[in-house]
């Protein structure tokens, strides 16, 4: 029997569509999930966790469809330690060429208390549920949720039970981002030493980033013998997120001298998928984020720029092309046609249908009339606005704002609401406040604005502003983005984008998956 912990190959398990999509406000549509799954499959991700099939009809449909379409990746679905969950998960993943069931239960004292199971009862539950999964599927992953806060002896005991019941992968989650690299490594080492049969299965590491150590903890686990890293694109995920796929892949590539492991991921596809996930999830990537941030390859200081011109290796440990980044250049102008726009957007990783292209082209022309030089970043920002304009119930028709040193500022707003034109004039403390008050007057709601953020896309006073807003209503969180050379218009559009998403969420509130609790395992 091969000792799996000694192999060089590290499997990449991407959970953007499950753990990542759990980020409040990051909900993706069915079509968006299929698109992201297609990109993950194409870039060589070994296992795609496509969703949580019992959570909602939407999740079930997405996992089933992804399972049918995947060419190479193993397709995995999540299931709590309940027969109903496991059976439903199998119904969704069974269409895949290579299906996997991932079942889990919280094993730490805090998590055992919730279903009120004692250690023996939980051990029985693990045996029954892993056996059930293994009878359906020969590829079964089991996770002791909150493993890093589970008593060591009990962790060894339940891992052994899961292996005996047929689990082929044992995932060790640091659910609350509590561990540190040395402890992460020690835990895997201990399991490999103490648990009978441990060298015949794959150990996985699944780290959350609450203390900013998710990537370091994942790599430490690999050094100790874990051979599967669970991660998400851009580190998307609840709270501070998960281990970022791009970080672990590039760290193992750049430091192959001391981490001699291989992954099957084509790193040149990283930028493309990062941008798509940022767009569809509504979670923009922070500028200084490792690998995929806008500034990750930018050199500002004179010394750095000088060094870069002489020899790029002076200040770069990897080349921009290694992650699929081509140099930012002036790409388009007002005379560029639709075919050129389509081709340029394809280069940037955006595949558009004809209707979407029509909409983007109109907005591109409007932008080109206002802004002479259009850069890649301008086009990416353009793509971040409403992805489904035809189905939006709320549309901005016109906005005129009076602002300046003499307040109060005033906004005259015309909107189309469910096909009907409506008008209002409102004042506020500044032009953005006046505009938001006007929108609220036409679309009354109780959603609380949690975040309002403005960034300049490029340099110069004619730069576009990208605006992100996040709103919360009755526990539902939605985000909205927009870009415009007029910051106030971009703000109003981002607000309307978020409201359109809120209306969709309200409509399907009955089947909202976040109403299903992970802890509800009894
Ligand atoms: O963080 C976690 O513990 C999880 C489990 C469901 C594996 O995501
Ligand atoms: Zn997780």
């Amino acid at each position: 029997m091969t000792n799996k912990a000694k192999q060089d190959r590290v499997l990449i398990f991407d959970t953007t569509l499950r753990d990542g999509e759990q980020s409040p406000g990051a909900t993706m549509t069915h079509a968006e999930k299929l698109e992201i799954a297609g990109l993950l499959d194409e870039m060589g991700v070994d296992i795609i966790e496509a969703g949580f099939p019992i959570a909602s009809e939407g999740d079930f449909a997405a996992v089933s469809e992804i399972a049918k379409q995947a060419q190479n990746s193993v397709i995995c679905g999540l299931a709590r330690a309940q027969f109903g969950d496991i059976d439903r998960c199998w119904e969704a993943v069974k269409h895949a060429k290579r299906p996997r069931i991932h079942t889990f239960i919280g094993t730490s004292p805090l998590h055992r208390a919730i279903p009120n199971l004692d250690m023996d009862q939980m051990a029985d539950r693990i045996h029954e549920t892993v056996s059930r999964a293994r009878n359906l599927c020969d590829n079964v992953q089991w996770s002791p949720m909150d493993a890093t806060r589970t008593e060591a002896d009990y962790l060894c005991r339940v891992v052994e039970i899961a292996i005996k019941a047929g689990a082929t992968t044992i995932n060790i989650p640091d659910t609350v981002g509590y561990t540190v690299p040395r402890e992460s490594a020690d835990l895997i080492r201990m399991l490999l030493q103490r648990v009978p049969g441990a060298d015949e299965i794959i150990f996985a590491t699944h780290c959350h980033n609450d203390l900013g150590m998710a990537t370091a903890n994942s790599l430490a686990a690999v050094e100790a013998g874990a051979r599967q890293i669970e991660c998400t694109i851009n580190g998307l995920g609840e709270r501070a997120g998960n281990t970022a796929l791009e970080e672990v892949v590039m760290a193992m590539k750049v430091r192959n001298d001391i981490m001699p492991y291989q992954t099957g991921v084509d790193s040149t596809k990283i930028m493309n998928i990062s941008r798509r996930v940022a767009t569809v999830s509504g979670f923009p990537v922070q500028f200084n984020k490792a690998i995929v941030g806008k500034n990750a390859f930018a050199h500002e200081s004179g010394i750095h720029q000088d060094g870069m011109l002489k020899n790029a290796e002076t200040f770069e440990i990897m080349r921009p092309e290694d992650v699929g980044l081509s140099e930012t250049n002036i790409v388009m102008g007002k005379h560029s046609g639709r075919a050129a726009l389509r081709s340029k957007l394809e280069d940037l990783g955006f595949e558009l249908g004809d209707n979407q292209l029509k909409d983007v082209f109109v907005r591109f022309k409007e932008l080109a009339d206002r802004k002479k030089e259009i850069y890649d970043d301008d086009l990416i920002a353009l793509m971040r606005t409403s992805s489904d304009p035809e189905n939006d119930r709320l549309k901005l028709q016109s906005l005129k704002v009076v602002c300046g040193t003499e307040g109060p500022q005033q906004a005259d707003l015309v909107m189309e609401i469910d096909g009907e034109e409506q008008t209002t004039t409102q004042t506020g403390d500044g032009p953005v406040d006046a505009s938001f008050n006007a929108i609220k007057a036409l679309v009354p709601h109780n959603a609380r604005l949690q975040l309002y953020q403005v960034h300049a896309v490029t340099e110069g006073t004619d730069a576009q502003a990208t605006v992100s807003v996040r709103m919360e209503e009755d526990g539902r969180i939605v985000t909205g983005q927009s870009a415009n050379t007029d910051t106030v218009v971009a703000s109003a559009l981002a607000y309307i984008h978020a409201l359109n998403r809120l209306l969709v969420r309200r409509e399907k509130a009955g089947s909202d998956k976040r109403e299903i609790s992970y802890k509800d395992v009894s």
Side-chain angles (χ1 to χ4, degrees), residues 174-193:
D174 182 28
T175 305
V176 290
Y178 175 71
T179 198
V180 299
R182 193 178 61 200
E183 186 182 61
S184 174
D186 287 347
L187 198 53
I188 298 291
R189 234 175 257 123
M190 175 197 74
L191 291 165
L192 281 164
Q193 273 163 14

Side-chain angles (χ1 to χ4, degrees), residues 15 18-19 22 49 78 102 104 141 143-147 171 173-176 206-208 230 238-239 242 518:
T15 183
R18 198 279 298 167
D19 213 329
Q22 270 169 231
E49 188 162 52
L78 186 68
H102 174 194
F104 75 99
Q141 171 167 327
S143 297
M145 186 166 73
D146 207 14
N171 175 38
D174 182 28
T175 305
V176 290
H206 176 117
C207 298
H208 282 264
E230 308 212 353
E238 286 194 88
R239 309 186 308 278
N242 293 63
Y518 275 1

